[in-house]
Amino acid sequence: MKIAIIDFETTGLDPKWNEIIEIGCVVFDDEDFVIQKTLDIKVNPIYPQRISKEAQKVNGYSDEEWLYGVERSNALSQLTKITKGTHFASYNLIFDWSFLTEEMIGQPFKTDFRRPAIDIISMAYAKLPEQKWSLKEVCKTLKIKPEPEVHRAINGTMKEYEVYKKLCGNIKKLS
């Protein structure tokens, strides 16, 4: 099945108030895990004044870094094109899905994801029940180099992809 792992950097934690400012996506088939497409795009914020200090610390937002960001509709259009017919996957499904749902309101195009969506942190919980749940800690446990302290969406997406592959390794051996 085709899977699109998606990671967003945002201006805060509330999808009704904050917004997506960076999109990372990797599309692959879970039969061979070969990456078919990627997307790494900065999104110009509509309300840069709403960025929380915590979010800015995590994602390193600055006007200079986002100087060549793209307009929101353009970024979401690119995302919907490369994810058509895939299963949505994310390390924190509720967070990323909530932001995508809010951002898609009023867009002239729609997403086309298959069911079910995949929550990678739930997979980690099922395989590693005594684990601390941050992506950083799960990466350490699985011997995957964690992403840098200042997050970029594509870095998070690639780490989530590596975690997904390792977590699925035992499942594929059974079939």
Side-chain angles (χ1 to χ4, degrees), residues 132-173:
K132 291 182 181 174
W133 301 114
S134 70
L135 180 58
K136 182 179 183 176
E137 291 300 320
V138 170
C139 283
K140 281 184 192 176
T141 299
L142 295 175
K143 298 185 179 16
I144 297 168
K145 183 179 175 184
E147 67 180 307
E149 287 301 314
V150 173
H151 296 204
R152 288 291 178 251
I154 194 65
N155 293 343
T157 300
M158 294 309 291
K159 295 304 170 185
E160 294 167 30
Y161 166 73
E162 290 180 58
V163 166
Y164 182 87
K165 272 183 16 177
K166 283 213 174 183
L167 292 173
C168 287
N170 293 335
I171 295 169
K172 292 296 178 188
K173 289 176 187 171

Side-chain angles (χ1 to χ4, degrees), residues 25 61 139:
C25 178
Y61 174 82
C139 283

Side-chain angles (χ1 to χ4, degrees), residues 27-76:
V27 176
F28 63 97
D29 191 298
D30 76 342
E31 288 297 314
D32 58 13
F33 293 98
V34 172
I35 295 174
Q36 298 168 356
K37 300 172 190 168
T38 61
L39 182 65
D40 177 15
I41 192 162
K42 284 183 171 52
V43 181
N44 288 329
I46 297 170
Y47 306 104
Q49 70 277 14
R50 291 184 182 175
I51 191 165
S52 72
K53 290 188 186 313
E54 295 82 12
Q56 194 167 13
K57 183 178 177 185
V58 169
N59 61 41
Y61 174 82
S62 71
D63 291 338
E64 299 79 35
E65 282 281 325
W66 266 255
L67 187 61
Y68 298 105
V70 302
E71 189 267 332
R72 175 162 324 289
S73 188
N74 179 333
L76 293 170

Side-chain angles (χ1 to χ4, degrees), residues 65-146:
E65 282 281 325
W66 266 255
L67 187 61
Y68 298 105
V70 302
E71 189 267 332
R72 175 162 324 289
S73 188
N74 179 333
L76 293 170
S77 174
Q78 290 182 55
L79 180 65
T80 58
K81 284 178 186 168
I82 73 163
T83 60
K84 185 177 176 74
T86 64
H87 292 265
F88 183 99
S90 175
Y91 193 75
N92 184 345
L93 182 68
I94 293 171
F95 179 85
D96 292 310
W97 186 258
S98 296
F99 270 92
L100 181 60
T101 301
E102 280 299 314
E103 297 280 359
M104 290 302 295
I105 293 171
Q107 295 297 331
F109 43 83
K110 302 292 177 216
T111 58
D112 179 29
F113 291 107
R114 302 287 180 243
R115 299 284 184 221
I118 301 164
D119 187 29
I120 300 169
I121 197 170
S122 294
M123 292 173 62
Y125 178 77
K127 293 263 193 175
L128 310 165
E130 301 302 318
Q131 178 65 50
K132 291 182 181 174
W133 301 114
S134 70
L135 180 58
K136 182 179 183 176
E137 291 300 320
V138 170
C139 283
K140 281 184 192 176
T141 299
L142 295 175
K143 298 185 179 16
I144 297 168
K145 183 179 175 184

